Amino acid sequence: MNENLLTTLTEISEGHTNKLEQHDQQISALQETLGQISALKGALNHLTQAGGPINQLLIHLPEQSNLHQRLDRTLRDTITALSRPQVQNHHHHFPRVAWATVGLFLMLCLVSTGWYLTASRLGDFRDNDIKYRYLQLIDNKQVVHLLHFTDSLQRAQPEFFRDSVLSKEEEKHRRLEMLDEANRKEAEAEQLRQRAKQ
C-alpha cells in the first residue's frame, strides 16, 4: 500500500513539475514579448513625431501594455500557488449500516459456533451415559462392584477423583512417549550397528 501511495505522489509531483515548466516557458515568452513591445514603443515614439493614425495607435498601446502586465502578474501568482505542495484528503465513507451488518454477522458466527460445540459435547455426554448404563446391565458381579466403587469415590471426593484420573492419564501418555522414544533409539542403534559391520 505504501508503494502505491509513493507512486501516486511521485506521479502527482511530476505532473506539477511539468506544469511549472510549461508556465515558466510561457512567462519567458511573455517577457520576450514585453521586451519587444517596449522596443516597438520606442520605435513608435519616433514615428509619432510624424503624426496621423500612428498617434491613435500609441494612445491605445499603454492599455495593451497594462493588460500584458496584469497577465504577467497573474501567471506569477499561479506559478507560486502551484509550486506549493498540495494537500490531498481522501475520505472513505463506510456507512453505519454496513458496520452493524458486519457486527451482526460476527455475532451470528459466534452463536452458531457455540451451538455446534454444545451439541457435540451433549452428544458425547449421551454416548457416555449409554456406555455407563450398558456396563450396569452386565451380570458380572466384579464389573458391577467396580462401577459402584467408582461411583462412591467420585461422589465422595469429586475433585480428587478427577485429578487422580488426569494424572494417571498423563503418566500413561508419558510412558507411551518414552516407549516410542526407546523403540526409535533401538532402531537407530541397529542401523548404526549395520553400518559399522559394513
Side-chain angles (χ1 to χ4, degrees), residues 124-140 143-144 147-148 151 155:
D124 291 342
F125 287 136
R126 285 182 184 155
D127 293 342
N128 290 338
D129 182 53
I130 291 296
K131 292 174 194 174
Y132 180 74
R133 287 165 57 192
Y134 173 75
L135 289 175
Q136 283 182 334
L137 292 176
I138 294 178
D139 287 336
N140 190 341
V143 172
V144 172
L147 285 175
H148 287 297
D151 282 341
R155 287 183 185 147

Side-chain angles (χ1 to χ4, degrees), residues 5 12 32-33 44 99 105 109 152 184:
L5 180 61
I12 291 172
E32 289 176 9
T33 306
L44 287 175
W99 283 113
F105 178 72
C109 289
S152 63
R184 187 180 58 79

Side-chain angles (χ1 to χ4, degrees), residues 15 45 51 72 151 168 189 192-193:
N45 283 337
D72 185 45
D151 282 341
K168 286 182 182 179
L192 287 174
R193 282 188 204 118

